[in-house]
Amino acid sequence: MKKEQQDTKQTISGIELAAVYAPSKLSPEIGRPGEFPYTRGIHSTMYRSRFWTMRQYAGFGTAQETNKRYHYLLSQGTTGLSVAFDLPTQMGRDADQAIVKGEVGKVGVSISTLEDMQTLFAGINLSQVSTSMTINSTAAILLGFYLALARQQGISWDQVSGTVQNDILKEYIARGTYIYPPRPALKLVTDIIEFCSKEVPQWNTISISGYHIREAGSTAPQELAFTFADAIVYVEQALQRGISIDAFAPRLAFFFNCQIDFLEEIAKFRAARRIWAKIMKERFGAKDPKSQMLRFHVQTAGSSLVPQEPLVNAVRTSIEALAAVLGGAQSLHTNSYDEALGLPTEDAARLALRTQQVIAYESGLTNTVDPFGGSYCIENLTDTIERETKLILEAIEARGGMLQAIEENYPQQEIERSAYEYQKKIDSHERIVVALNKFNENSAAAKVPVFKVDAKLEQDQRERVQAFKAKRDQQLVASKLAQLKQAASQNQNVMPEIIEAVSCGVTLGEISNIFRELWGEY
C-alpha cells in the first residue's frame, strides 16, 4: 500500500477521513431539498429563487458613526443590517457610568437610550430592512428600544422583521457577557419568545448560537450538540408558558460558525438540519414543517484569522463563505481580513461584502440546489457528524439536561479540552496555519491600515447620555421603573413594561439595575 494511503488524515475536529469513499457509504436519509429531514436544504429551490441575506456585522463608537457605516453598507448592496454593541451595552451599563470608562464604543456601538437608537437608524425605515442584533443579557431592553422606535416611525410591529440573539446559555458556556444568574436570565429569554409570538410575528425571537462555542475552541460536533442542547432548554421553557410548539418554533433561528475545514463545514450544516428536524418532530411533536426547518445565519470564523500577513485572511474568509453557501445558509456575514488587528476599515468591510456578491452572482454555485449532495465523502461526513453530535446530546441528557450541565461546568470543560488539543497541533506543526507556523518568513513586514475608534467619541457619548438624563421627566422615570420592578417581582412578562419605560426616557442601565436588585449578579 502506498504511504499516502496509510497516513491518517483528519478534519479540524479530529474526524478521520478515508483516502477514497465508495457508494456503499451513502445514507438513505439524503432525501430531496425542501423535504424532511431537510438534509439538502429547507427550500426546494434554495438560491435559485432567492439568495441568502448578505448581512454585514458592524458597530463602533457612537450611534452617529455607526449610522454612517450602515448607510454605506446599504449603498453597497448589503441586504440586512447586523448590530454590534459595545461591552457596556452588552453588560447593562450606561455610557456615563464610571465603571465602563475606556470601553465605550470600542468593540461595538454604544446604546444607552432610545435617543441613541433613533440616531443609529436615522434615515432607515424599519419596515424595509431586516435587522439582527447581537445582544443577550440585555436583549429585552434593546428589543424594547427597537420596537419603541418602530412605533415612533408609525410602523406596526407586524411589519418589523429581524433577529435578536437572546441566547443567554451560551454566554455561561463560552462568551461571558452574562449579568444575572441562569434561571432568571432564562425567564427574560422566554418573555421575548412569548411576547413576540403574539405581537411581533415576523421577528426571530432567538438566534441560538454555536458561533461563540466554536470560537472558544469546540469541535464541529460539540458546536452542534451544545447549541441544540441550549435550544431544547429554550423550547421547554416556552412550552411551560403554555405556548404551542407551532406558535413559536417557526421563528427560532440559529447562528453557526464556519471554520476553515471546507468539507467538514458543508457536512456540519447538512447534519445540523437533519438533527434539528428530528428533535422538533420526534421529541416535541411539532406538526408544522416550518417548525422542523433549521434556519440559520453563518459567520466566517474570526478565530481562523491571524495578524500575520492579514491579506491572506481574505482567502480564508472566501473558503469559509463558500462552505456556508454550499451548506445551505439563510444568512451570511463574511469577516474582514483586518479583524485580527481591530475593527474593520471601510475598504476591508467592502471586500468582505464583495466576496459574498461574487459567490452569488459569478460563481455559478447558486444555479443548482445542494451541488455536493450525493458526494460519497460529504454524505459520510454528514452521517459521522450527526452520530457524534447525538452521543454528546445523550451525555448531556444523562446529566439532567443542559442547565444542569452548565452549572456543573461540563460543556465549558469539554470546550477547553478541545481548544487545548487543537492548539497543541498548531504548536507541534501537526496542523499548518499559513504565515503563522509555516511560510512566515516575511509575515512581520506585512502592513495594512488599522481602524482606530476616536477616543473623543467616548467623551461625546458620556456627555450625550448625561444631557439626556438631565432633560427627562424624573417623576415619570421613577414611576415607570417602579412599575417594571413590580412586574418583574410578580413574575410577569416584562416586555410591555420595558417598551413603555424606554419610551418615557428610562435608560438601559437603569432597567438592568432593577433586575440586578431583584436577582443579583452571577
Side-chain angles (χ1 to χ4, degrees), residues 290-430:
K290 291 182 179 178
S291 299
Q292 302 164 4
M293 294 177 184
L294 180 81
R295 297 173 305 113
F296 63 95
H297 170 71
V298 170
Q299 181 172 340
T300 56
S303 58
S304 71
L305 308 182
V306 299
Q308 295 87 352
E309 298 192 30
L311 289 173
V312 178
N313 290 330
V315 180
R316 296 184 175 99
T317 293
S318 299
I319 292 168
E320 292 160 3
L322 281 168
V325 170
L326 289 166
Q330 278 63 64
S331 172
L332 176 60
H333 165 87
T334 33
N335 287 332
S336 302
Y337 61 78
D338 54 357
E339 289 190 47
L341 302 170
L343 292 173
T345 62
E346 197 169 89
D347 286 346
R350 182 175 62 252
L351 179 61
L353 174 60
R354 293 288 183 259
T355 301
Q356 295 197 48
Q357 291 167 335
V358 169
I359 293 171
Y361 292 97
E362 296 186 39
S363 71
L365 288 177
T366 60
N367 294 335
T368 189
V369 181
D370 186 30
F372 274 35
S375 156
Y376 306 144
C377 174
I378 290 294
E379 299 300 349
N380 182 271
L381 268 176
T382 301
D383 294 345
T384 302
I385 292 172
E386 179 183 19
R387 191 163 52 248
E388 293 197 5
T389 300
K390 286 182 174 179
L391 288 174
I392 301 169
L393 283 168
E394 288 169 6
I396 293 167
E397 289 293 311
R399 284 171 167 77
M402 192 55 159
L403 200 53
Q404 183 70 28
I406 289 170
E407 292 172 342
E408 294 175 359
N409 280 329
Y410 167 69
Q412 296 95 312
Q413 291 171 352
E414 289 297 294
I415 292 168
E416 287 174 9
R417 180 181 55 78
S418 296
Y420 175 66
E421 292 299 322
Y422 179 69
Q423 187 61 46
K424 281 202 304 183
K425 290 178 180 178
I426 292 176
D427 293 344
S428 68
H429 288 67
E430 183 180 342

Side-chain angles (χ1 to χ4, degrees), residues 188-262:
L188 284 177
V189 170
T190 315
D191 282 358
I192 292 175
I193 294 173
E194 181 181 44
F195 180 81
C196 291
S197 69
K198 299 172 183 176
E199 303 289 343
V200 199
Q202 294 191 71
W203 194 264
N204 298 322
T205 54
I206 187 168
S207 178
I208 307 155
S209 177
Y211 183 84
H212 309 92
I213 292 169
R214 194 68 183 278
E215 288 290 280
S218 80
T219 65
Q222 285 173 338
E223 179 188 1
L224 296 189
F226 296 151
T227 303
F228 289 142
D230 287 347
I232 287 167
V233 175
Y234 298 132
V235 171
E236 289 174 342
Q237 291 286 313
L239 292 174
Q240 288 172 17
R241 290 277 182 101
I243 313 170
S244 163
I245 185 73
D246 287 321
F248 71 88
R251 302 314 303 179
L252 298 177
F254 289 80
F255 173 25
F256 291 118
N257 193 296
C258 197
Q259 258 289 351
I260 191 65
D261 196 312
F262 185 70

Side-chain angles (χ1 to χ4, degrees), residues 20 42 45 92 114 146 159 176 273 343 349 357 379 407 458 461 465 493:
V20 178
I42 60 172
T45 55
L114 179 57
Y146 196 82
Q159 294 180 285
R273 275 192 295 271
L343 292 173
Q357 291 167 335
E379 299 300 349
E407 292 172 342
E458 175 169 355
Q461 177 65 355
V465 173
N493 190 313

Side-chain angles (χ1 to χ4, degrees), residues 17 24-25 37 45 107 216 406 424:
L17 293 170
S24 61
K25 297 288 186 180
T45 55
V107 298
I406 289 170
K424 281 202 304 183

Side-chain angles (χ1 to χ4, degrees), residues 36-159:
F36 184 89
Y38 308 106
T39 307
R40 305 192 65 190
I42 60 172
H43 303 300
S44 60
T45 55
M46 288 301 288
Y47 308 133
R48 283 173 66 94
S49 300
R50 177 185 175 185
F51 293 143
W52 60 94
T53 301
M54 299 179 196
R55 193 184 294 283
Q56 288 303 111
Y57 187 50
F60 59 90
T62 66
Q64 292 98 318
E65 299 299 313
T66 301
N67 177 260
K68 293 175 187 175
R69 178 65 65 89
Y70 287 166
H71 280 284
Y72 175 76
L73 289 171
L74 289 168
S75 75
Q76 295 299 309
T78 289
T79 53
L81 297 176
S82 186
V83 186
F85 296 98
D86 69 357
L87 280 174
T89 304
Q90 294 179 49
M91 298 301 292
R93 302 290 186 181
D94 289 337
D96 64 337
Q97 292 183 254
I99 195 172
V100 304
K101 189 174 182 180
E103 290 294 339
V104 175
K106 288 296 171 65
V107 298
V109 64
S110 173
I111 301 293
S112 299
T113 68
L114 179 57
E115 189 176 81
D116 288 335
M117 189 66 85
Q118 291 166 340
T119 303
L120 184 64
F121 289 97
I124 298 171
N125 187 318
L126 298 192
S127 68
Q128 296 176 2
V129 66
S130 169
T131 301
S132 173
M133 295 190 284
T134 303
I135 197 73
N136 298 283
S137 295
T138 53
I141 306 169
L142 272 300
L143 179 58
F145 283 143
Y146 196 82
L147 294 178
L149 176 59
R151 192 160 59 186
Q152 286 184 353
Q153 288 189 359
I155 297 166
S156 64
W157 289 342
D158 62 1
Q159 294 180 285

